[in-house]
Amino acid sequence: MEAIGRFVVLERLGVGAHAAVYCAEDPVLEQLVALKVLSTQIAFDPDGRARFIKEARLMRRIESPRAATVYDVAQLPDGRPYLVLELAERGTLRDRLDDLQEGGKTVTLRDVRTVAAALGAALAAIHDRGVVHRDVKPSNILIRPAATGTAPDGVPGGTLLRDDDFLVLGDFGLAKALESTRLVTAAVGTPAYMAPEQAAIGAPLDGRADIYAASAV
């Protein structure tokens, strides 16, 4: 069984262009976490490493239950950095939508209202902290059980969410601080969810780009 630092890796959750994400157990705290490990081709590029560390700093800056929590930043023996993150053990909104489609079901109006309200709360939290996400899409909307004392997002009569589900915005790899959005030198994001100004190099960018993406979701 593979280990990353003190964490025991249980399974790989996904691989992207810049990082791989694993479900792992912290044997000391007896807690499941997500480990996001920067890819080899990026890890030794100074700019790539700086962006990765910036992601952790922006996530810590938000401090909201609607944004995934980062617990720590560490480094593998080969020099690759990794983030220790809150695990959303119930997958993503993309997973749920795919499951509905495979089952021949459709989302209800209640589902739409629930997701819109949760996503709006998440965007309000990150924008209040001066952060623009820049990659809001179903695969970056995570699902976990609602914490004790927190109202869940699931509603009676819905088909998309369980009664005790809670939606959290994750993957801040493309996020930027609002004070630096005028320095954008490349069009990044997922085309189906990108606002027009996000696709224009050098165009001023603010939280309205995320609201556009949320509307596309």
Side-chain angles (χ1 to χ4, degrees):
M1 191 173 296
E2 184 183 357
I4 295 178
R6 76 168 189 262
F7 303 97
V8 179
V9 175
L10 303 178
E11 64 175 313
R12 187 171 69 183
L13 300 177
V15 180
H18 301 114
V21 180
Y22 302 89
C23 172
E25 181 181 10
D26 182 340
V28 177
L29 298 178
E30 298 182 343
Q31 177 185 19
L32 293 178
V33 297
L35 303 180
K36 184 174 183 178
V37 184
L38 195 59
S39 64
T40 303
Q41 59 266 37
I42 302 295
F44 304 106
D45 170 63
D47 289 339
R49 289 178 70 92
R51 286 193 299 270
F52 194 68
I53 301 303
K54 183 198 72 174
E55 176 182 359
R57 289 173 177 164
L58 288 178
M59 292 177 75
R60 287 296 291 268
R61 173 173 169 173
I62 295 165
E63 296 182 336
S64 167
R66 287 294 182 184
T69 302
V70 57
Y71 300 127
D72 199 5
V73 181
Q75 185 169 289
L76 294 173
D78 65 6
R80 285 180 295 159
Y82 64 92
L83 306 183
V84 184
L85 303 162
E86 168 188 0
L87 176 69
E89 58 262 52
R90 293 183 178 175
T92 70
L93 186 65
R94 176 77 275 158
D95 297 332
R96 292 290 178 87
L97 291 170
D98 290 344
D99 289 345
L100 280 187
Q101 187 174 22
E102 289 175 7
K105 299 179 180 180
T106 59
V107 295
T108 68
L109 181 57
R110 289 185 177 183
D111 292 321
V112 175
R113 286 175 172 166
T114 294
V115 172
L119 191 49
L123 293 183
I126 72 169
H127 295 163
D128 284 348
R129 291 292 186 174
V131 176
V132 182
H133 189 278
R134 297 204 300 168
D135 202 19
V136 176
K137 59 185 177 181
S139 59
N140 285 340
I141 300 170
L142 313 179
I143 305 173
R144 63 166 174 79
T148 302
T150 301
D153 292 323
V155 290
T159 60
L160 187 64
L161 301 177
R162 303 176 195 172
D163 288 349
D164 63 338
D165 279 344
F166 190 80
L167 301 183
V168 175
L169 190 58
D171 196 343
F172 285 73
L174 297 183
K176 287 186 76 70
L178 275 170
E179 62 265 22
S180 65
T181 52
R182 292 185 180 274
L183 304 178
V184 175
T185 56
V188 296
T190 304
Y193 301 93
M194 286 172 61
E197 67 271 22
Q198 190 173 338
I201 296 174
L205 189 67
D206 58 30
R208 288 173 291 185
D210 288 340
I211 295 172
Y212 180 100
S215 301
V217 170

